[in-house]
Each structure stands twice: as C-alpha cells, then as structure tokens.
Amino acid sequence: MPKITSRHFKEVVSGSSFTPKFLTEIQLSIEDRCGSTDVWRYYSNTSYRYPAPEYVMYVAGTVGRLFKTDGSTVSFVGESTTGGGSTSSLVVFNDNLFIGNTSGLAEGDTGNLFKYSLSDGIQDIIDFGFGSDVNSMKVFGSNLYLHIGTQESSFVYESSDGSLFTFSTDIGSISTLNSIAELDQNLYVLGYSSPTLRKFDGSSWSVVSGFPSTTIGYAIYKFRDRIYISCDSTIYDFNGSDFSVSTTLSSGNVRSFCQFRNKLYAGTSIGEVYEFDESSW
C-alpha cells in the first residue's frame, strides 16, 4: 500500500464511501489499467463528482485518461488528450464535466480544454497551443474561469457558456496547479514565480497588496472563512484583509490542499500529509 497523500483526500461526498483507504485502492486499480505509476503523483484535486446528485466520482490520470467510480468499482471512461499532456483540473459547469489538460513535451503537443457529458462523451473544446497548460479552473458567479500557464507567463480566460472564451487578465507570473480560490465573493488567483496574488471582484482585477512571500507560490485553497496559501515551506492564511503565517514546515513544501470531514489537509512534495483543525497543524 503506497503512502496516502492529500491527492487522495479530495472530498467528494461527506460521510460517503470515498475514504482515504478506498481512494488508495482506486490509485492501485488505475495504475494497473494505465501501466503507470504517475497517475496521482503530480496532479492533485483531479477528482470530481458528476453528475449531481449521483455519487459517482471521476478521476483523472496521466495522458488524459478519465476514470469513474461509484465507490465499489472503477471503470475507464475515455481519453481527453491530443498529445502527451496530463489532466490537471476538473470542474462541473453548465451540466458538463470540464477537463483541463497540460501540454506534453513533444512538438505538436498542446494544452487543451475538453468537456464530458453522459450523452455526448468527451469533446475537444479549445486548443491553447504548444507549451500552454490549463492548470486550474473555477466556476465563479455564472462564468467559468481558466488559469492558463505558458513557459513565460500566465493568463485568466473566462466563459459564460463553456464554448467561447475571452481574455480576462494577465497574472504577471507563470502559473501553478491549484491556483484559484474564492473568498467573500472575490476570485483569487496565485502566481508561481515571485508569487503575486490577484483579486477579481466580478468587474475588475487588482493586485492584492501586502502579500508577504517572495518565494515560489504552490497552491491556494479556501477553508472556512479564509484562504490558505502555500509558498515554499510556509503556509499563510488570508482573511480577505490581512495575511498571517499559519505554519512553516520543517522540510518539503505543500503542493495541494483539500478539506475532508471538517479538517484541512495539506499534501507535501515529500509525500507527507499535514492535518489542520483550525487551531493547530
């Protein structure tokens, strides 16, 4: 049995059969079907329940492979890729499951956005070109927002229908996975290098002042009434006005967060999981 990290802690249904142990068994089953040990290694939060209210979880693997499970069995759905990239994010919008993929390394590989429905299967929506990654997605208000990263910068695109996307803002930094969160009716997007935090209030974007980190920004996540931000080995919390240090790890850095049964979990680059109950890690 491999180590359980936070990539297995995606909360699908509170109190459901999707326990950490079961999700680890899903990992083993998918690895056996894919012939790959990298299914969960880099891409976290790539599981999503669809369609509501059915308790079916969709799990993304390497090279765009999509699986689903009802809590007892795992089945292969299909592939969403035009190259060697992997799925980095999933989200439900307008009754479809949207699938964001990274670009592969070979010439001609592109970062694409796909969508999946029970009636139409997997469809290719938009090609963002070689070297572009659909790193994070978030439904905010009535629109879908994508954080698209290139080797030099990153950008946010938005869509009201899931088909036509328009440019929303330049983040001014390359992007990272798990880089979008919502707090108090504001959308926050984290940049990776010389990390910046930008806020969208529904009408305009602005840079959040006072951001304390000058190192690498890895992940951002809303838990209760705050957002938690991983920058190198430090986790900051932000209440919408002020930043404070939540904890600093002795080794490694947090690559992803998720909530499970009223606690916040943080998965690190060295395979450890930290648990937070709002008072201590």
Side-chain angles (χ1 to χ4, degrees):
M1 187 73 66
K3 271 186 179 178
I4 299 175
T5 71
S6 75
R7 52 185 174 268
H8 304 110
F9 281 109
K10 176 67 177 178
E11 186 178 26
V12 210
V13 183
S14 178
S16 75
S17 59
F18 297 112
T19 63
K21 180 178 182 296
F22 176 69
L23 293 179
T24 303
E25 292 170 355
I26 291 176
Q27 177 197 15
L28 295 177
S29 176
I30 293 176
E31 287 178 0
D32 179 64
R33 292 165 186 257
C34 285
S36 169
T37 58
D38 289 334
V39 172
W40 296 79
R41 186 165 298 168
Y42 298 110
Y43 302 103
S44 55
N45 287 352
T46 46
S47 56
Y48 219 99
R49 187 163 61 93
Y50 169 82
E54 295 183 24
Y55 290 172
V56 177
M57 183 173 69
Y58 285 77
V59 182
T62 52
V63 288
R65 293 185 175 97
L66 186 67
F67 297 82
K68 68 178 180 180
T69 177
D70 58 5
S72 59
T73 60
V74 178
S75 59
F76 177 68
V77 176
E79 291 192 9
S80 59
T81 183
T82 55
S86 296
T87 297
S88 55
S89 58
L90 298 173
V91 71
V92 173
F93 178 68
N94 285 357
D95 298 323
N96 291 283
L97 179 68
F98 282 79
I99 307 165
N101 284 359
T102 64
S103 172
L105 299 177
E107 185 176 354
D109 290 348
T110 60
N112 284 51
L113 180 69
F114 296 81
K115 71 176 180 180
Y116 169 78
S117 67
L118 297 179
S119 58
D120 299 323
I122 298 175
Q123 298 175 291
D124 193 347
I125 301 300
I126 187 170
D127 176 357
F128 288 98
F130 175 69
S132 298
D133 301 328
V134 185
N135 278 329
S136 298
M137 299 189 290
K138 181 75 175 177
V139 177
F140 177 66
S142 58
N143 290 352
L144 174 61
Y145 291 82
L146 313 180
H147 190 187
I148 309 298
T150 69
Q151 295 179 354
E152 298 178 351
S153 189
S154 66
F155 313 92
V156 175
Y157 287 81
E158 63 180 292
S159 175
S160 60
D161 60 7
S163 298
L164 178 63
F165 285 83
T166 57
F167 176 83
S168 186
T169 192
D170 183 343
I171 297 302
S173 166
I174 63 175
S175 65
T176 181
L177 304 178
N178 309 315
S179 59
I180 305 179
E182 181 182 348
L183 178 68
D184 297 334
Q185 299 182 336
N186 292 297
L187 188 69
Y188 291 89
V189 179
L190 176 67
Y192 174 79
S193 57
S194 300
T196 57
L197 186 64
R198 292 182 183 261
K199 180 179 77 172
F200 180 61
D201 61 8
S203 59
S204 62
W205 289 88
S206 61
V207 176
V208 178
S209 62
F211 190 53
S213 177
T214 58
T215 59
I216 293 174
Y218 282 112
I220 182 172
Y221 191 85
K222 180 190 176 185
F223 177 63
R224 301 300 175 92
D225 60 348
R226 299 171 181 268
I227 55 176
Y228 290 80
I229 307 167
S230 166
C231 293
D232 204 11
S233 60
T234 300
I235 299 174
Y236 298 93
D237 69 62
F238 178 61
N239 62 8
S241 300
D242 302 309
F243 294 91
S244 61
V245 174
S246 182
T247 190
T248 299
L249 309 183
S250 58
S251 60
N253 45 67
V254 172
R255 299 300 180 90
S256 63
F257 297 99
C258 82
Q259 180 179 341
F260 184 75
R261 294 181 181 174
N262 298 319
K263 292 184 179 181
L264 179 65
Y265 289 85
T268 73
S269 57
I270 58 175
E272 294 179 341
V273 174
Y274 287 79
E275 177 187 270
F276 181 60
D277 61 4
E278 290 190 276
S279 60
S280 62
W281 288 89

